[in-house]
């Protein structure tokens, strides 16, 4: 895939033109929540309104944006470049079930009574699939919602979804529920959710690192998603470290042709020596660093080729030396836009 960095921030199509629900998944430790937040900021740039949804109850969005714990309500949390807005929603399954009871059965008072005696928590605990139906349903409702003028409430919705190992079952649970409930509001609700999740308006993006386990889990997840008939999006390679050396130097290090003696002479000429006035020990230590760097670059190159074999767009986000704060999120969002991801 070739992207035009000069087009960042301009009015042009993205790789996901027409996609309104972006589901972000990835192996634990890959920075899934951070990427979801950056995706939301990137999509909101230029005056758009985006909802960032959390479904696992970890308050990860609040942590990434350095905010107090988010309530079960849609709340503006950031302004994107060009005047766009990012709203956030931390979905609580118990509250979502109360909404569901009121919406389809008019049981608001009964639902609150059940909640007081712990039945709501009991029901969502013994039936984890019910939790998934509720949170995907709430997200799908936000995707479909329109205001009084008929305009979409949100231009896009970004879901910080469960990890890769659970994503297919999480997204496919409404299909199972629809099969169990043959008639009535439960079936209708499940079919509505399935219609949103399986549609061309949805894309499931995978976050990966250039390491063997995250790469393999990403490839397995993409294969499972395709087998389930669910829409595969792109791969976001996160925390990419820079390459500091030229290809000839890297090749020499890989092939054991790197001359530490020559390096020692260069260091000594530059006045970089140890207490004894010699540069050989420093040169040997630097040589080992060069060899390790070359090995890492070669490993990452192979893992990058493995990810490319999936046949989907790939994007790269840099490792931020100072960690991810609000300024870092905007930097990552701009990187996504520069590569055509949003």
């Amino acid at each position: 895939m070739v992207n035009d960095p000069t087009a960042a921030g301009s009015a042009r199509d993205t790789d996901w033109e027409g996609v309104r629900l972006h589901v972000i998944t990835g192996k634990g430790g890959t920075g899934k929540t951070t990427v979801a937040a950056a995706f939301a900021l990137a999509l909101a740039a230029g005056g758009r309104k985006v909802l960032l949804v959390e479904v696992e109850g970890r308050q990860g969005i609040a942590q990434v944006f350095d905010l107090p714990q988010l309530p079960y309500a849609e709340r503006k949390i950031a302004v994107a470049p060009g005047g766009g807005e990012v709203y956030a929603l931390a979905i609580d399954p118990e509250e979502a079930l109360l909404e569901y009871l009121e919406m389809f059965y008019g049981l608001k008072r009964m639902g609150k009574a059940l909640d007081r005696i712990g039945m709501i928590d009991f029901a969502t605990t013994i039936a984890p699939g019910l939790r998934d139906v509720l949170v995907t349903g709430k997200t799908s409702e936000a995707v479909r919602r329109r205001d009084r003028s008929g305009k979409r409430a949100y231009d896009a919705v970004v879901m910080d979804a469960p990890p890769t190992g659970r994503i297919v079952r999480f997204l496919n649970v409404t299909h199972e529920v629809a099969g169990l409930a043959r008639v009535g509001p439960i079936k209708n609700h499940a079919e509505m959710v399935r219609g949103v999740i399986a549609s061309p308006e949805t894309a499931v993006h995978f976050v990966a690192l250039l390491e063997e386990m995250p790469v393999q889990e990403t490839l397995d997840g993409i294969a499972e998603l395709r087998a389930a008939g669910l829409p595969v999006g792109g791969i976001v390679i996160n925390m990419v470290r820079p390459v500091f050396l030229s290809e000839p130097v890297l090749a020499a290090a890989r092939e054991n042709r790197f001359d530490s003696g020559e390096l020692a002479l260069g260091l000594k000429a530059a006045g970089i020596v140890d207490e004894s006035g010699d540069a050989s020990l420093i040169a040997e230590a630097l040589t080992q660093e060069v060899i390790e760097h070359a090995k890492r670059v070669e490993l990452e190159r192979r893992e990058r080729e493995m990810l490319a074999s999936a046949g989907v767009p790939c994007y790269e986000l840099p490792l931020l030396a100072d960690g991810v704060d609000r300024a870092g999120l905007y930097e990552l969002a701009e990187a996504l836009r520069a590569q055509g991801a949003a």
Side-chain angles (χ1 to χ4, degrees):
M1 185 187 75
V2 178
N3 295 305
D4 178 9
T6 64
S10 65
R12 62 171 176 79
D13 290 349
T14 71
D15 285 339
W16 310 110
E17 192 72 24
V19 172
R20 302 194 61 255
L21 174 58
H22 296 266
V23 180
I24 312 296
T25 185
K27 180 178 171 58
T30 58
K32 171 174 65 69
T33 299
T34 298
V35 171
F39 237 103
L41 282 169
L43 289 165
R48 291 181 289 273
K49 186 177 178 182
V50 174
L51 177 66
L52 176 58
V53 177
E54 179 179 287
V55 300
E56 293 186 283
R58 296 183 297 104
Q59 288 292 325
I61 294 173
Q63 294 173 29
V64 167
F65 282 94
D66 193 22
L67 297 170
Q69 182 168 314
L70 295 172
Y72 180 57
E74 293 165 24
R75 173 173 296 183
K76 187 168 79 171
I77 60 169
V79 176
E85 297 176 330
V86 175
Y87 285 70
L89 173 64
I91 298 179
D92 178 83
E94 286 75 27
E95 291 288 344
L97 181 54
L98 289 174
E99 278 190 355
Y100 181 86
L101 291 172
E102 179 182 7
M103 184 182 303
F104 291 106
Y105 297 99
L107 296 177
K108 182 176 182 179
R109 292 183 180 179
M110 178 63 74
K112 288 186 175 180
L114 291 173
D115 190 33
R116 282 196 295 272
I117 63 175
M119 289 298 292
I120 300 295
D121 184 62
F122 176 73
T124 54
T125 299
I126 65 171
L130 177 59
R131 285 178 175 267
D132 293 348
V133 170
L134 293 169
V135 296
T136 54
K138 181 66 177 176
T139 304
S140 299
E141 183 276 326
V143 173
R144 290 163 49 94
R145 190 190 313 157
R146 296 180 182 272
D147 59 23
R148 292 180 179 178
S149 68
K151 181 183 176 182
R152 297 280 191 180
Y154 293 102
D155 295 293
V157 176
V158 178
M159 177 195 287
D160 180 14
T164 307
R166 204 167 74 82
I167 190 64
V168 172
R169 181 169 179 79
F170 171 77
L171 295 175
N172 217 26
V173 70
T174 52
H175 180 67
E176 298 175 11
V177 171
L180 292 173
R182 298 184 180 279
V183 294
I186 294 178
K187 180 177 177 61
N188 294 337
H189 176 73
E191 288 181 343
M192 179 276 289
V193 175
R194 175 72 182 182
V196 171
I197 290 175
S199 78
E201 288 191 327
T202 295
V204 183
H205 307 294
F206 290 78
V207 182
L209 304 180
L210 291 174
E211 299 172 4
E212 184 177 356
M213 288 186 64
V215 167
Q216 189 58 55
E217 191 163 314
T218 296
L219 296 175
D220 291 343
I222 289 174
E224 291 174 11
L225 210 66
R226 285 171 170 161
L230 294 169
V232 178
I235 299 172
V236 180
I237 305 172
N238 197 22
M239 295 186 254
V240 176
R241 290 173 287 188
V243 177
F244 296 109
L245 302 174
S246 67
E247 185 54 39
V249 174
L250 292 172
R254 289 194 301 268
E255 298 165 9
N256 295 319
R257 293 187 290 104
F258 191 80
D259 191 344
S260 62
E262 184 179 344
L263 177 59
L265 291 174
L267 290 171
K268 195 167 185 177
I272 303 174
V273 295
D274 58 24
E275 294 178 355
S276 67
D278 189 14
S280 59
L281 292 178
I282 299 175
E284 288 177 8
L286 287 175
T287 297
Q288 288 303 311
E289 291 290 333
V290 169
I291 291 172
E292 290 301 316
H293 182 69
K295 288 180 179 178
R296 176 179 65 79
V297 170
E298 182 63 18
L299 171 65
E300 292 180 349
R301 185 174 295 163
R302 290 198 301 268
E303 299 300 337
R304 189 179 278 108
E305 290 172 356
M306 289 287 291
L307 290 173
S309 71
V312 300
C314 291
Y315 314 96
E316 297 197 8
L317 295 180
L319 175 66
L320 300 180
D322 297 327
V324 181
D325 53 13
R326 272 192 175 248
L329 284 178
Y330 282 89
E331 182 179 340
L332 297 178
E334 181 57 29
L336 287 170
R337 284 181 56 75
Q339 296 172 75

